[in-house]
């Protein structure tokens, strides 16, 4: 009688390769012909071996399917993370743009304050000279913009140059106002400018110490998360490749056991005087 470990997977495969050969001869070679108990055990051992084979095969298929499902989930997570990161990055860029605008505005107000103080000390001549300088700045920027419009209409510098032009135009308007000031107006205008500088400086400080650092932290955390998700996706893709290759190797190595018609012979009967052939 065969022991419990007699028929392993390799023997089961060898058994199946007797297709189109005299099964009785194969059984005789094992010394089992006429031993119904041993043959019954052979049935049982083969069924157990085939069960193990099927479990292994299903596990390989499951591994490949699970990896595919995990990849789809991680890809969706990566897409969402990229979208969120894009939003947060835009928020950071907006805050940085606000900072740039505030720095520019403070510079304009400080220049205006200096001009008011100069007006108080030297009268209109200093203001008129400043107006001339500002007009030259405006003409220079307009010339640069015309070149960009004509030769590089999609150049991102255009946006920055337009903002710079608007700043110079604002400077020009402020200095023109100074020419009409009297003594009382000068004091009031100076107080107004000081207040504007103070407010803008407070806004700038809040951006630099609170808003921008907080948003930068959000963006940095998002970048770290994106890198982790990307690494997970790459690892899963490698694991999927391995799982798919393992499945392919298994299917190539045991094709006969994966053909339903070839495993139907479990119903065969062996009789000493009646050879059977595995179909």
């Amino acid at each position: 009688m065969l022991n419990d470990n007699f028929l392993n997977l390799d023997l089961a495969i060898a058994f199946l390769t007797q297709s189109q050969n005299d099964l009785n001869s194969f059984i005789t070679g094992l010394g089992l012909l006429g031993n119904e108990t041993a043959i019954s055990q052979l049935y049982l051992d083969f069924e157990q071996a085939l069960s193990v084979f099927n479990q292994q095969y299903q596990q390989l298929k499951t591994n490949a399917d699970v990896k595919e499902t995990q990849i789809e989930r991680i890809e969706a997570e990566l897409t969402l993370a990229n979208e969120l990161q894009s939003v947060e990055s835009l928020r950071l860029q907006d805050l940085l743009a606000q900072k740039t605008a505030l720095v520019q505005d403070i510079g304009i107000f400080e220049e205006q304050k200096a001009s008011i103080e100069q007006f108080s000390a030297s009268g209109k001549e200093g203001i008129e000279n400043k107006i001339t300088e500002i007009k030259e700045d405006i003409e220079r920027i307009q010339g640069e913009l015309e070149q960009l419009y004509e030769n590089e209409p999609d150049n991102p510098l255009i946006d920055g140059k337009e903002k710079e032009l608007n700043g110079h135009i604002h400077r020009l308007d402020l200095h023109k106002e100074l020419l009409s000031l009297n003594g009382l107006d000068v004091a009031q205008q100076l107080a107004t400018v000081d207040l504007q500088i103070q407010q803008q400086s407070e806004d700038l400080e809040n951006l630099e110490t609170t808003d921008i650092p907080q948003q930068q932290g959000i963006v940095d955390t998002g970048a770290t998360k994106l890198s982790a998700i990307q690494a997970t996706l790459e690892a899963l893709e490698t694991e999927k490749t391995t799982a798919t290759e393992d499945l392919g190797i298994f299917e190539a190595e045991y094709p006969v056991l994966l053909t339903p018609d070839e495993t139907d012979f479990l119903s065969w009967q062996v009789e000493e005087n009646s050879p059977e052939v595995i179909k």
Side-chain angles (χ1 to χ4, degrees), residues 10-30:
D10 290 336
L11 182 56
I13 295 169
F15 197 36
L16 278 172
T17 59
Q18 297 303 307
S19 181
Q20 306 302 324
N21 296 320
D22 186 354
L23 182 58
N24 278 357
S25 297
F26 183 68
I27 297 298
T28 300
L30 294 177

Side-chain angles (χ1 to χ4, degrees), residues 50-228:
L50 189 60
S51 175
V52 171
F53 169 86
N54 285 329
Q55 290 174 9
Q56 292 175 346
Y57 181 55
Q58 292 303 320
Q59 185 61 54
L60 288 172
K61 290 178 65 178
T62 298
N63 288 345
D65 292 341
V66 167
K67 295 304 176 185
E68 178 63 29
T69 299
Q70 290 176 331
I71 286 175
E72 291 175 355
R73 178 178 59 80
I74 292 297
E75 285 178 338
E77 184 178 344
L78 182 62
T79 297
L80 178 59
N82 270 315
E83 292 174 352
L84 292 176
Q85 184 70 354
S86 178
V87 170
E88 298 300 344
S89 295
L90 287 175
R91 288 175 179 169
L92 178 59
Q93 293 303 314
D94 181 63
L95 291 173
L96 292 173
Q98 291 180 38
K99 174 185 173 180
T100 300
L102 282 172
V103 170
Q104 183 178 8
D105 289 345
I106 290 172
I108 292 174
F109 288 129
E110 288 178 340
E111 181 185 48
Q112 183 185 9
K113 178 180 178 180
S115 296
I116 294 173
E117 293 171 341
Q118 183 183 21
F119 177 78
S120 299
S122 61
K124 293 183 179 180
E125 184 178 355
I127 302 301
E128 289 172 344
N129 291 336
K130 178 62 68 174
I131 288 176
T132 299
E133 293 178 9
I134 295 173
K135 286 181 177 180
E136 291 174 353
D137 288 337
I138 290 175
E139 290 176 358
R140 175 178 55 81
I141 298 300
Q142 286 176 333
E144 293 175 359
L145 277 171
E146 287 176 3
Q147 291 292 324
L148 287 172
Y149 290 146
E150 181 177 352
N151 301 319
E152 303 177 63
D154 297 324
N155 194 317
L157 287 175
I158 289 178
D159 184 58
K161 290 294 182 181
E162 288 176 340
K163 290 181 178 178
E164 185 177 355
L165 177 61
N166 290 333
H168 289 315
I169 293 173
H170 182 53
R171 291 172 60 209
L172 180 62
D173 292 339
L174 291 175
H175 282 79
K176 285 182 177 179
E177 290 178 6
L178 292 177
L179 293 177
S180 62
L181 296 178
N182 55 37
L184 180 60
D185 290 335
V186 169
Q188 291 177 338
Q189 187 72 7
L190 189 59
T192 299
V193 171
D194 280 335
L195 180 59
Q196 290 173 319
I197 291 175
Q198 179 184 351
Q199 291 174 337
Q200 299 282 49
S201 297
E202 289 174 354
D203 291 342
L204 179 60
E205 181 180 6
N206 185 60
L207 278 174
E208 291 179 330
T209 61
T210 304
D211 295 345
I212 290 177
Q214 286 179 351
Q215 190 61 28
Q216 184 67 62
I218 292 173
V219 171
D220 291 344
T221 299
T224 301
K225 181 179 179 180
L226 272 175
S227 297

